[in-house]
Amino acid sequence: YSEIERSKSIPLNYIRNQNELLKDRVSKSKTTKRHLYKLMNPTLSPPPLYNNCNVPERHRIAWSQFRLGSHNFPVEKMRWARVKPENRMCGCGAVQTEEHIITVCPKTAESRLSVKGNWNDLTTLFDMDDQVNVAKMIYQMGNDY
């Protein structure tokens, strides 16, 4: 079977049920990556940015990788090295988390200026309508490190 033929043979109710089971598993998870993802997407719904054709591919990729915890910021490298969360230190002296990088780190202060509005946490940032500039900011922050 081709992928299209196979997808037609899977009942829609089964897909919805599997989706709900996955959402339930993610919402109950205690891992730092899933906690981070829940901060950025509390409803666990598909982001509208994926349907926006006006986003440069490099920005969309950086945005997606950040949301999925599959980025190249030092905190991710420390996670892979099994450094305990409280020992993942940033060059500025604070404990480095994704939220620290995006919201308060002095290294990324200039990039933060590109996103207007009243936001100071990941939940608010990723709930904003202007995800195009959020994606651009995350891309720029990747260059800051």
Side-chain angles (χ1 to χ4, degrees):
Y1 290 106
S2 74
E3 192 63 33
I4 293 173
E5 291 170 328
R6 193 175 16 240
S7 69
K8 288 180 182 178
S9 67
I10 300 173
L12 190 55
N13 286 340
Y14 175 80
I15 294 170
R16 288 184 181 137
N17 185 43
Q18 291 300 308
N19 191 31
E20 289 306 313
L21 289 172
L22 181 60
K23 283 182 179 182
D24 186 53
R25 196 170 75 218
V26 169
S27 68
K28 292 177 181 174
S29 176
K30 302 288 186 221
T31 66
T32 56
K33 275 192 177 190
R34 287 187 178 153
H35 173 74
L36 171 69
Y37 189 76
K38 288 184 288 188
L39 285 175
M40 293 181 281
N41 188 2
T43 62
L44 302 176
S45 56
L49 183 79
Y50 289 145
N51 297 325
N52 187 334
C53 297
N54 298 318
V55 181
E57 187 70 2
R58 64 185 180 276
H59 296 172
R60 186 196 57 76
I61 289 170
W63 183 85
S64 297
Q65 287 176 335
F66 186 84
R67 285 176 50 100
L68 296 172
S70 181
H71 48 74
N72 287 319
F73 289 107
V75 65
E76 178 64 7
K77 294 172 185 172
M78 289 185 270
R79 186 179 286 121
W80 276 95
R82 306 265 191 246
V83 176
K84 292 181 180 181
E86 63 272 13
N87 295 332
R88 296 175 189 162
M89 302 308 291
C90 182
C92 71
V95 173
Q96 189 178 81
T97 63
E98 283 84 355
E99 190 151 22
H100 165 80
I101 293 167
I102 297 292
T103 61
V104 296
C105 185
K107 285 182 149 185
T108 57
E110 189 173 324
S111 295
R112 271 194 297 282
L113 298 174
S114 66
V115 177
K116 308 293 185 228
N118 187 19
W119 60 275
N120 60 359
D121 59 52
L122 293 177
T123 303
T124 306
L125 178 67
F126 282 93
D127 194 40
M128 295 175 69
D129 290 333
D130 188 14
Q131 290 300 298
V132 173
N133 275 326
V134 172
K136 180 181 177 183
M137 177 188 76
I138 292 170
Y139 175 79
Q140 290 170 337
M141 287 180 172
N143 294 331
D144 293 341
Y145 270 90

